[in-house]
Amino acid sequence: MNALSAQAASSAAALARRGTPRSTLVRNLWERAIRGVLGVTAIISVAITVGIIAILLRETVAFIQLPEIELTDFLFGTTWSPLLGAEKHFGIWPLICGTFLVAAVAAVTAIPLGLITAIYMSEYATPRSRAILKPVIEILAGVPTVVYGFFALLVITPALQSACNFLFGTQVFSGYNAGAAGIAVGIMILPIVASMSEDAMQSVPRSLREGAYALGSTKFDVSMKVVTPAALSGIMASCFLAITRAIGETMVVALAAGGLAHMTLNPADQVQTMTAYMVQIFLGDAPAFGVENLSSYAVAMVLFTLTLVLSIAGNLLLKRFREAYE
């Protein structure tokens, strides 16, 4: 041990002799420069966020101040038809309903599959299997969202229609529907749930598992009654992050969910989400400075507020259920 310490000290001294000695003044200036660059980078990030919020607020206020807009109708109305008919309606709730319906289907698809996958990789898979399986799952996060949109249109929707036709004698699902879009979004967010939950389970101390095994628990008991509760804060964080990602998804819902904004909880119906509406406005024939254009900023403000509330709620739950181990 003494020989190893002496060898390490000798190597450190040799490395020190190779370097160029610097004065204290130069070192302090270098450290201040690095600190300044890092601080400016952080300030730029905050400034971009503040700028986005300021633009959304400015355009939203301009939208609300238009003579044909009533704030109560926008916040509590159940009819959204800014592009059709002589009388335009701007009740936000059909878009919120469509957004949360797609997000709910995505959560029902991704959370159970993601948690089962995480438990398998953390507690049952061999190191070799885990080394292969985890990167393969994480590849799903890198697939372009437009591919998921076409997958929902060409694979999931026909599969749902065929299954309903076999079971009920009718297709039930329309060509554009919230169910297929939600399942595709669920597949897209599956790596978030699986990977983050598996990381949380891996961080559970091994002593907890060994204590449970010493009491006669099976591997299933240890997985479900020890590891999963101990990693609950990390699992909940992964679920909230995945749901927030599903709410903000654009391309999949624009391609597969349809374009009809109405109040429904039926995943077989077509719906329009908040992000899909914004895509429709900016890619459609709406006037660049008309009420339709300004309404997209107001919708974006509502979407930003909803995701912010979800993120705050996720952080509060994370602190509430966080477990600290030595």
Side-chain angles (χ1 to χ4, degrees), residues 78 83 112 128 157 220 234 290 311:
T78 57
L83 302 175
R128 178 180 174 81
T157 295
F220 183 76
S311 298

PDB file of all heavy atoms in Angstrom, residues 78 83 112 128 157 220 234 290 311:
ATOM      1  N   THR A  78     -67.702  26.171 -25.104  1.00  0.00           N
ATOM      2  CA  THR A  78     -67.561  24.779 -25.540  1.00  0.00           C
ATOM      3  C   THR A  78     -67.691  24.631 -27.053  1.00  0.00           C
ATOM      4  O   THR A  78     -67.900  23.526 -27.551  1.00  0.00           O
ATOM      5  CB  THR A  78     -68.617  23.901 -24.850  1.00  0.00           C
ATOM      6  OG1 THR A  78     -69.914  24.417 -25.144  1.00  0.00           O
ATOM      7  CG2 THR A  78     -68.414  23.871 -23.346  1.00  0.00           C
ATOM      8  N   LEU A  83     -62.968  29.056 -38.182  1.00  0.00           N
ATOM      9  CA  LEU A  83     -62.753  29.037 -39.624  1.00  0.00           C
ATOM     10  C   LEU A  83     -64.001  28.694 -40.412  1.00  0.00           C
ATOM     11  O   LEU A  83     -64.012  28.828 -41.636  1.00  0.00           O
ATOM     12  CB  LEU A  83     -61.643  28.028 -39.981  1.00  0.00           C
ATOM     13  CG  LEU A  83     -60.278  28.277 -39.317  1.00  0.00           C
ATOM     14  CD1 LEU A  83     -59.308  27.153 -39.644  1.00  0.00           C
ATOM     15  CD2 LEU A  83     -59.705  29.614 -39.767  1.00  0.00           C
ATOM     16  N   PRO A 112     -48.118   1.633 -18.263  1.00  0.00           N
ATOM     17  CA  PRO A 112     -47.994   0.211 -17.886  1.00  0.00           C
ATOM     18  C   PRO A 112     -46.855  -0.498 -18.624  1.00  0.00           C
ATOM     19  O   PRO A 112     -46.065  -1.228 -18.000  1.00  0.00           O
ATOM     20  CB  PRO A 112     -49.361  -0.370 -18.279  1.00  0.00           C
ATOM     21  CG  PRO A 112     -50.269   0.792 -18.377  1.00  0.00           C
ATOM     22  CD  PRO A 112     -49.444   1.926 -18.826  1.00  0.00           C
ATOM     23  N   ARG A 128     -26.188  -8.647 -19.827  1.00  0.00           N
ATOM     24  CA  ARG A 128     -26.059  -8.662 -21.287  1.00  0.00           C
ATOM     25  C   ARG A 128     -27.390  -8.296 -21.952  1.00  0.00           C
ATOM     26  O   ARG A 128     -27.427  -7.486 -22.896  1.00  0.00           O
ATOM     27  CB  ARG A 128     -25.613 -10.056 -21.748  1.00  0.00           C
ATOM     28  CG  ARG A 128     -25.482 -10.201 -23.251  1.00  0.00           C
ATOM     29  CD  ARG A 128     -25.044 -11.623 -23.622  1.00  0.00           C
ATOM     30  NE  ARG A 128     -25.058 -11.816 -25.062  1.00  0.00           N
ATOM     31  CZ  ARG A 128     -24.099 -11.430 -25.867  1.00  0.00           C
ATOM     32  NH1 ARG A 128     -23.017 -10.827 -25.382  1.00  0.00           N
ATOM     33  NH2 ARG A 128     -24.187 -11.641 -27.160  1.00  0.00           N
ATOM     34  N   THR A 157     -54.570   2.627 -37.034  1.00  0.00           N
ATOM     35  CA  THR A 157     -55.986   2.829 -37.351  1.00  0.00           C
ATOM     36  C   THR A 157     -56.595   1.621 -38.072  1.00  0.00           C
ATOM     37  O   THR A 157     -57.673   1.135 -37.661  1.00  0.00           O
ATOM     38  CB  THR A 157     -56.161   4.104 -38.192  1.00  0.00           C
ATOM     39  OG1 THR A 157     -55.776   5.232 -37.403  1.00  0.00           O
ATOM     40  CG2 THR A 157     -57.605   4.283 -38.626  1.00  0.00           C
ATOM     41  N   PHE A 220     -40.372 -11.486  -7.287  1.00  0.00           N
ATOM     42  CA  PHE A 220     -41.547 -10.665  -7.606  1.00  0.00           C
ATOM     43  C   PHE A 220     -41.931  -9.782  -6.408  1.00  0.00           C
ATOM     44  O   PHE A 220     -42.273  -8.608  -6.577  1.00  0.00           O
ATOM     45  CB  PHE A 220     -42.721 -11.562  -7.998  1.00  0.00           C
ATOM     46  CG  PHE A 220     -43.952 -10.804  -8.405  1.00  0.00           C
ATOM     47  CD1 PHE A 220     -44.030 -10.191  -9.646  1.00  0.00           C
ATOM     48  CD2 PHE A 220     -45.029 -10.688  -7.532  1.00  0.00           C
ATOM     49  CE1 PHE A 220     -45.164  -9.482 -10.014  1.00  0.00           C
ATOM     50  CE2 PHE A 220     -46.160  -9.981  -7.897  1.00  0.00           C
ATOM     51  CZ  PHE A 220     -46.225  -9.375  -9.145  1.00  0.00           C
ATOM     52  N   GLY A 234     -38.930   8.744  -8.478  1.00  0.00           N
ATOM     53  CA  GLY A 234     -38.374   8.750  -9.837  1.00  0.00           C
ATOM     54  C   GLY A 234     -39.363   8.258 -10.869  1.00  0.00           C
ATOM     55  O   GLY A 234     -39.431   8.775 -11.994  1.00  0.00           O
ATOM     56  N   GLY A 290     -55.053  38.324 -38.845  1.00  0.00           N
ATOM     57  CA  GLY A 290     -56.458  38.278 -38.485  1.00  0.00           C
ATOM     58  C   GLY A 290     -56.672  37.682 -37.108  1.00  0.00           C
ATOM     59  O   GLY A 290     -55.737  37.314 -36.386  1.00  0.00           O
ATOM     60  N   SER A 311     -45.904  20.575 -14.658  1.00  0.00           N
ATOM     61  CA  SER A 311     -44.503  20.465 -14.229  1.00  0.00           C
ATOM     62  C   SER A 311     -44.359  20.819 -12.753  1.00  0.00           C
ATOM     63  O   SER A 311     -43.638  20.135 -12.010  1.00  0.00           O
ATOM     64  CB  SER A 311     -43.636  21.401 -15.073  1.00  0.00           C
ATOM     65  OG  SER A 311     -43.690  21.049 -16.429  1.00  0.00           O
TER      66      SER A 311
END
